[in-house]
Amino acid sequence: DPSVGKVKAVVSTQSTGAKVILSNITNVYKNLALEHWILNNWSFDKFDCLLIYRNTPCVVVGRFQNVWREVNVDRARKEGVNIARRVSGGGAVYHDLGNVNFSFFTDKPSHCPARNLTFLSQTLNLLYGLEIDLNQRHDLFIGQSKISGSASRIIRTGSFHHCTLLVNSDLAALSGILRGDTTITTAATASLPSPTTSIHAALSLMTSSQQSDVITPSDVITPSSIIDLVAEDYLSLYSESFPGEVDIWDEECSQDGESSVILVEEIPDNILEPQHESYDWIFGKSPKFTKQFGKAKLTIEKGLVKEIDGFDEIDIIGSKYDSNEISRLVKMQKVNSSLI
């Protein structure tokens, strides 16, 4: 539908103002907790809100996905890449400090991902001379390569639409980590793989004749500069400008402060949700699946081994699923059987 990319970048219908929340926290679990808390505790009948944050290297899977199917878990653990699960649907994404995350909060009737992405693409196209396009799945592309993926969460009192933006991310790391085990059988939501690029990489390929007169050279484009640009342009949609002074997020976590910008330097304890780092949430919420290990067929449910068919000698019912350990046990059992 060609009209998908032509939605006007205007404010939501109910709001009279806006808040921008800039998080200096780079821990994925804390930022997801902050995002979730804002949705559940703030009112969006008068104010729209934009939360902007970055994370150190991590993979974030959608609410209904199977972690092992989407992520190279062994590589992630070996390289210190955190694995997280969000409350929204959609596919798996890779974050690092070269990626910027935007969460657009509105009341439920005003939820409109296409409007948010049109705003974002128009802002970037104008400054950088890019040709960013929006598809029906609410992804942003430059040519045939994806630079942004989206997901949403809607509840009775509000909603958020969040998206990534690959500015100068490590694309090789992204590709390697987002390669899960394709031999498992599951009905979980699967990611739809697409070629990816970053704004930095796309600009590096452009000739000077293609670039906008106001373009910033690709070697000095940073996530920070894009954050500043998007925050200012977002406020301008509501006839507001970036303030001289910002509010600092505190334990009251109020949206009633005078400044249109709130800076988050630390997350109060009342916002943190231990579940965001728990095995039960990250791995245990993976839908039921089966995996074949030679003659042994394992059924995994809630992240635990539930059934083993074809290899009764292995007694790991109820243990956490670990493909390496299971492979070792199967191999060891085969060796022992051959010696009898």
Side-chain angles (χ1 to χ4, degrees):
D1 181 358
S3 65
V4 170
K6 297 181 180 180
V7 178
K8 292 182 179 180
V10 296
V11 301
S12 63
T13 55
Q14 306 296 322
S15 64
T16 57
K19 297 279 187 181
V20 171
I21 302 176
L22 302 175
S23 174
N24 280 337
I25 307 298
T26 57
N27 178 289
V28 61
Y29 306 114
K30 291 182 178 181
N31 278 322
L32 289 177
L34 173 63
E35 184 178 64
H36 196 204
W37 190 93
I38 293 170
L39 175 66
N40 289 328
N41 291 274
W42 275 20
S43 171
F44 305 105
D45 54 348
K46 294 182 180 179
F47 288 93
D48 289 345
C49 176
L50 173 60
L51 168 66
I52 307 177
Y53 61 92
R54 294 188 294 156
N55 292 316
T56 52
C58 61
V59 177
V60 185
V61 300
R63 181 166 189 160
F64 308 107
Q65 290 197 293
N66 185 300
V67 169
W68 293 280
R69 177 61 183 82
E70 301 298 328
V71 183
N72 186 330
V73 175
D74 289 340
R75 178 170 175 174
R77 286 171 171 166
K78 187 180 298 183
E79 297 181 5
V81 174
N82 286 323
I83 301 174
R85 183 181 296 274
R86 58 181 185 268
V87 297
S88 61
V93 291
Y94 174 79
H95 295 181
D96 62 15
L97 293 177
N99 170 74
V100 182
N101 303 290
F102 300 96
S103 296
F104 297 86
F105 295 82
T106 64
D107 61 4
K108 185 176 178 179
S110 302
H111 181 74
C112 185
R115 180 184 59 238
N116 303 329
L117 292 168
T118 298
F119 154 72
L120 191 58
S121 61
Q122 287 179 351
T123 297
L124 298 171
N125 285 342
L126 180 62
L127 182 64
Y128 298 130
L130 298 168
E131 295 183 358
I132 299 175
D133 295 315
L134 166 64
N135 70 9
Q136 289 180 306
R137 296 185 61 250
H138 299 143
D139 299 322
L140 294 180
F141 280 78
I142 296 177
Q144 300 299 312
S145 297
K146 184 175 175 179
I147 63 167
S148 174
S150 287
S152 294
R153 173 74 170 166
I154 302 173
I155 62 175
R156 181 179 58 82
T157 55
S159 68
F160 70 65
H161 155 241
H162 52 192
C163 63
T164 57
L165 183 65
L166 298 172
V167 181
N168 57 359
S169 290
D170 185 340
L171 299 179
L174 179 155
S175 177
I177 293 291
L178 293 180
R179 289 187 180 180
D181 183 353
T182 59
T183 66
I184 68 175
T185 302
T186 179
T189 300
S191 297
L192 298 177
S194 300
T196 55
T197 190
S198 65
I199 291 177
H200 188 280
L203 287 174
S204 297
L205 294 175
M206 294 173 64
T207 64
S208 58
S209 62
Q210 292 175 296
Q211 294 177 352
S212 166
D213 291 338
V214 294
I215 200 168
T216 305
S218 60
D219 59 349
V220 298
I221 290 174
T222 65
S224 295
S225 64
I226 287 185
I227 289 171
D228 291 343
L229 167 72
V230 172
E232 290 181 10
D233 276 19
Y234 177 79
L235 289 173
S236 72
L237 291 176
Y238 301 80
S239 301
E240 297 186 26
S241 57
F242 204 93
E245 294 185 4
V246 302
D247 289 337
I248 303 297
W249 191 277
D250 57 25
E251 291 186 0
E252 294 182 0
C253 311
S254 172
Q255 65 184 120
D256 298 325
E258 294 184 0
S259 179
S260 57
V261 176
I262 303 173
L263 185 64
V264 182
E265 296 286 4
E266 58 181 306
I267 305 291
D269 290 341
N270 62 319
I271 287 181
L272 296 178
E273 298 180 25
Q275 75 157 16
H276 281 290
E277 297 187 54
S278 71
Y279 182 90
D280 288 347
W281 171 250
I282 299 169
F283 292 92
K285 287 297 183 180
S286 293
K288 179 180 177 180
F289 68 100
T290 60
K291 165 77 175 181
Q292 199 80 31
F293 292 86
K295 295 180 180 180
K297 181 181 179 181
L298 275 69
T299 300
I300 315 301
E301 192 168 353
K302 297 182 179 179
L304 306 176
V305 178
K306 183 179 181 181
E307 296 177 7
I308 303 175
D309 292 327
F311 225 91
D312 297 336
E313 295 86 350
I314 301 177
D315 184 18
I316 53 173
I317 300 297
S319 63
K320 292 180 179 179
Y321 175 70
D322 183 332
S323 61
N324 290 330
E325 177 63 11
I326 294 169
S327 295
R328 186 188 69 81
L329 291 173
V330 170
K331 183 177 180 179
M332 184 173 64
Q333 186 63 40
K334 285 182 178 179
V335 171
N336 292 340
S337 298
S338 67
L339 295 176
I340 297 175

